[in-house]
Amino acid sequence: MSQILPHARIEPVNDTSIALAGDMLRHGQLVAFPTETVYGLGADATDDRAVAAIYAAKGRPSFNPLIVHVADPDDCAALVRVDDRARLVMARFWPGPLTLVLPRAAGSPVSLLASAGLDTIAIRMPGHDVARAVIRAAGRPIAAPSANRSGAVSPTRAEHVAESLGGRVALIVDGGACRVGVESTVLDLSTERPTLLRPGGVTAEQLEAVLGQPLACPHQDPEAPKSPGMLASHYAPGLPVRLDATHAAADEALLGFGAMDCTLNLSPSGDLEEAAANLFAFLRRLDERDYRGIAVAPIPETGLGVAINDRLRRAAAPRS
Ligand code: TXA
Ligand code: MG
């Protein structure tokens, strides 16, 4: 039986709907808006709970790192470390369908959940007036994957978003059809050799011409991992991780869930969105202390628990 969703609220672009979108985003709600590539499912990138709501709405079985959207290149400096190479390609291709993966800046306010715990952040300035107006109205960097349920095709019209997400999104700003129709190019500039993680509207040749060097293209190498999500070297704690624990052994930290005695509790009330919001920040906090290992309480394998358990299983897998 298919689930009946409440209808999505769709508003045409005008000053009122842009102001409303900004207000909702500042209050941790999800707002879908057009970019030049596809519609984005936006949330305040500095708010762990709002970012957790993105993953819940998309129904993704894992935490893929998300793209953080800004309205102005100057807004990047507080979020990521911008070097000369990055400045060069930003000057040439922004605003536009190019995402840059850069090292997280010290004190960056971007949610660790948005970057799936990584030390890098993917950032872009969209080439669509409505997208930038929404980001400006929010006054925050905006995390936004494509505005569709996991596995569905990318949405290039407001109706596609409504069909896929329905009432899971507080507001859809209807800016008509997207011009490009495929997602942005993802270029990793956190590595010595610039690396093309996802092909898109801005081509490898265009980037090579500006950077003056060939790009590494792992997706064309049959030996390399297939999906860009897999490429991101996943964050894993330095300490061994033990799953489905009810008690901590001597010198072990206990990461809890639900009512229990533990070192840190992902969600004392057993709320999976709260647990997702806390997951990476808490793992890092425990990893910094003088423990021998991290024991983790069982997490239900439902809703966002599937993505949480996926990440925990990776963290607990034997290391090579
Ligand atoms: O055109 C687009 O980029 C659209 C619109 C809404 O802006 N957004 C989009 O987001 O496609 P999403 O979440 O569907 O794709 C994000 C891509 C994934 O391939 C992800 O693996 C990669 O960016 N990514 C994000 N952060 C990363 C990081 N820190 N390191 C490596 N790859 C990263
Ligand atoms: Mg997508």
PDB file of all heavy atoms in Angstrom, residues 33-46:
ATOM      1  N   PHE A  33      14.049  24.620  -3.329  1.00  0.00           N
ATOM      2  CA  PHE A  33      14.156  25.809  -4.182  1.00  0.00           C
ATOM      3  C   PHE A  33      14.899  25.428  -5.462  1.00  0.00           C
ATOM      4  O   PHE A  33      15.674  24.469  -5.484  1.00  0.00           O
ATOM      5  CB  PHE A  33      14.880  26.939  -3.428  1.00  0.00           C
ATOM      6  CG  PHE A  33      16.257  26.577  -2.945  1.00  0.00           C
ATOM      7  CD1 PHE A  33      17.368  26.706  -3.780  1.00  0.00           C
ATOM      8  CD2 PHE A  33      16.443  26.090  -1.657  1.00  0.00           C
ATOM      9  CE1 PHE A  33      18.635  26.366  -3.324  1.00  0.00           C
ATOM     10  CE2 PHE A  33      17.719  25.741  -1.199  1.00  0.00           C
ATOM     11  CZ  PHE A  33      18.813  25.881  -2.034  1.00  0.00           C
ATOM     12  N   PRO A  34      14.660  26.217  -6.539  1.00  0.00           N
ATOM     13  CA  PRO A  34      15.319  25.891  -7.808  1.00  0.00           C
ATOM     14  C   PRO A  34      16.771  26.354  -7.808  1.00  0.00           C
ATOM     15  O   PRO A  34      17.102  27.396  -7.239  1.00  0.00           O
ATOM     16  CB  PRO A  34      14.514  26.700  -8.832  1.00  0.00           C
ATOM     17  CG  PRO A  34      14.009  27.879  -8.057  1.00  0.00           C
ATOM     18  CD  PRO A  34      13.779  27.390  -6.658  1.00  0.00           C
ATOM     19  N   THR A  35      17.646  25.565  -8.428  1.00  0.00           N
ATOM     20  CA  THR A  35      18.983  26.032  -8.787  1.00  0.00           C
ATOM     21  C   THR A  35      19.068  25.872 -10.300  1.00  0.00           C
ATOM     22  O   THR A  35      18.143  25.352 -10.926  1.00  0.00           O
ATOM     23  CB  THR A  35      20.123  25.228  -8.108  1.00  0.00           C
ATOM     24  OG1 THR A  35      20.324  24.014  -8.820  1.00  0.00           O
ATOM     25  CG2 THR A  35      19.816  24.945  -6.638  1.00  0.00           C
ATOM     26  N   GLU A  36      20.168  26.286 -10.906  1.00  0.00           N
ATOM     27  CA  GLU A  36      20.288  26.143 -12.352  1.00  0.00           C
ATOM     28  C   GLU A  36      20.416  24.676 -12.768  1.00  0.00           C
ATOM     29  O   GLU A  36      20.146  24.328 -13.917  1.00  0.00           O
ATOM     30  CB  GLU A  36      21.474  26.972 -12.888  1.00  0.00           C
ATOM     31  CG  GLU A  36      22.851  26.341 -12.696  1.00  0.00           C
ATOM     32  CD  GLU A  36      23.408  26.530 -11.286  1.00  0.00           C
ATOM     33  OE1 GLU A  36      22.628  26.590 -10.306  1.00  0.00           O
ATOM     34  OE2 GLU A  36      24.651  26.592 -11.163  1.00  0.00           O
ATOM     35  N   THR A  37      20.796  23.787 -11.827  1.00  0.00           N
ATOM     36  CA  THR A  37      20.969  22.369 -12.174  1.00  0.00           C
ATOM     37  C   THR A  37      19.687  21.589 -11.919  1.00  0.00           C
ATOM     38  O   THR A  37      19.043  21.111 -12.856  1.00  0.00           O
ATOM     39  CB  THR A  37      22.117  21.749 -11.359  1.00  0.00           C
ATOM     40  OG1 THR A  37      21.835  21.879  -9.961  1.00  0.00           O
ATOM     41  CG2 THR A  37      23.452  22.399 -11.697  1.00  0.00           C
ATOM     42  N   VAL A  38      19.323  21.432 -10.649  1.00  0.00           N
ATOM     43  CA  VAL A  38      18.114  20.718 -10.236  1.00  0.00           C
ATOM     44  C   VAL A  38      17.564  21.437  -9.002  1.00  0.00           C
ATOM     45  O   VAL A  38      18.224  22.309  -8.452  1.00  0.00           O
ATOM     46  CB  VAL A  38      18.423  19.241  -9.870  1.00  0.00           C
ATOM     47  CG1 VAL A  38      18.991  18.490 -11.067  1.00  0.00           C
ATOM     48  CG2 VAL A  38      19.358  19.131  -8.668  1.00  0.00           C
ATOM     49  N   TYR A  39      16.338  21.074  -8.585  1.00  0.00           N
ATOM     50  CA  TYR A  39      15.815  21.626  -7.332  1.00  0.00           C
ATOM     51  C   TYR A  39      16.597  21.045  -6.157  1.00  0.00           C
ATOM     52  O   TYR A  39      16.930  19.856  -6.144  1.00  0.00           O
ATOM     53  CB  TYR A  39      14.322  21.307  -7.169  1.00  0.00           C
ATOM     54  CG  TYR A  39      13.429  22.326  -7.849  1.00  0.00           C
ATOM     55  CD1 TYR A  39      13.332  22.355  -9.245  1.00  0.00           C
ATOM     56  CD2 TYR A  39      12.725  23.280  -7.112  1.00  0.00           C
ATOM     57  CE1 TYR A  39      12.548  23.318  -9.869  1.00  0.00           C
ATOM     58  CE2 TYR A  39      11.934  24.236  -7.732  1.00  0.00           C
ATOM     59  CZ  TYR A  39      11.848  24.256  -9.108  1.00  0.00           C
ATOM     60  OH  TYR A  39      11.085  25.207  -9.733  1.00  0.00           O
ATOM     61  N   GLY A  40      16.899  21.905  -5.182  1.00  0.00           N
ATOM     62  CA  GLY A  40      17.604  21.470  -3.985  1.00  0.00           C
ATOM     63  C   GLY A  40      16.648  21.366  -2.809  1.00  0.00           C
ATOM     64  O   GLY A  40      15.667  22.110  -2.723  1.00  0.00           O
ATOM     65  N   LEU A  41      16.924  20.403  -1.912  1.00  0.00           N
ATOM     66  CA  LEU A  41      16.172  20.275  -0.664  1.00  0.00           C
ATOM     67  C   LEU A  41      17.019  20.928   0.423  1.00  0.00           C
ATOM     68  O   LEU A  41      17.977  20.335   0.915  1.00  0.00           O
ATOM     69  CB  LEU A  41      15.933  18.789  -0.350  1.00  0.00           C
ATOM     70  CG  LEU A  41      15.245  18.459   0.969  1.00  0.00           C
ATOM     71  CD1 LEU A  41      13.849  19.078   1.023  1.00  0.00           C
ATOM     72  CD2 LEU A  41      15.155  16.943   1.168  1.00  0.00           C
ATOM     73  N   GLY A  42      16.684  22.187   0.758  1.00  0.00           N
ATOM     74  CA  GLY A  42      17.576  23.000   1.577  1.00  0.00           C
ATOM     75  C   GLY A  42      17.282  22.941   3.061  1.00  0.00           C
ATOM     76  O   GLY A  42      16.130  22.801   3.485  1.00  0.00           O
ATOM     77  N   ALA A  43      18.355  23.057   3.844  1.00  0.00           N
ATOM     78  CA  ALA A  43      18.259  23.211   5.299  1.00  0.00           C
ATOM     79  C   ALA A  43      19.441  24.057   5.756  1.00  0.00           C
ATOM     80  O   ALA A  43      20.471  24.116   5.069  1.00  0.00           O
ATOM     81  CB  ALA A  43      18.289  21.852   5.999  1.00  0.00           C
ATOM     82  N   ASP A  44      19.303  24.687   6.900  1.00  0.00           N
ATOM     83  CA  ASP A  44      20.388  25.454   7.516  1.00  0.00           C
ATOM     84  C   ASP A  44      21.580  24.517   7.736  1.00  0.00           C
ATOM     85  O   ASP A  44      21.510  23.582   8.526  1.00  0.00           O
ATOM     86  CB  ASP A  44      19.884  26.017   8.848  1.00  0.00           C
ATOM     87  CG  ASP A  44      20.951  26.798   9.619  1.00  0.00           C
ATOM     88  OD1 ASP A  44      22.131  26.768   9.206  1.00  0.00           O
ATOM     89  OD2 ASP A  44      20.579  27.430  10.624  1.00  0.00           O
ATOM     90  N   ALA A  45      22.683  24.781   7.017  1.00  0.00           N
ATOM     91  CA  ALA A  45      23.847  23.884   7.070  1.00  0.00           C
ATOM     92  C   ALA A  45      24.569  23.938   8.405  1.00  0.00           C
ATOM     93  O   ALA A  45      25.441  23.116   8.672  1.00  0.00           O
ATOM     94  CB  ALA A  45      24.823  24.229   5.941  1.00  0.00           C
ATOM     95  N   THR A  46      24.220  24.914   9.256  1.00  0.00           N
ATOM     96  CA  THR A  46      24.891  25.028  10.553  1.00  0.00           C
ATOM     97  C   THR A  46      24.077  24.359  11.664  1.00  0.00           C
ATOM     98  O   THR A  46      24.460  24.419  12.828  1.00  0.00           O
ATOM     99  CB  THR A  46      25.132  26.512  10.929  1.00  0.00           C
ATOM    100  OG1 THR A  46      23.865  27.142  11.172  1.00  0.00           O
ATOM    101  CG2 THR A  46      25.860  27.249   9.821  1.00  0.00           C
TER     102      THR A  46
END
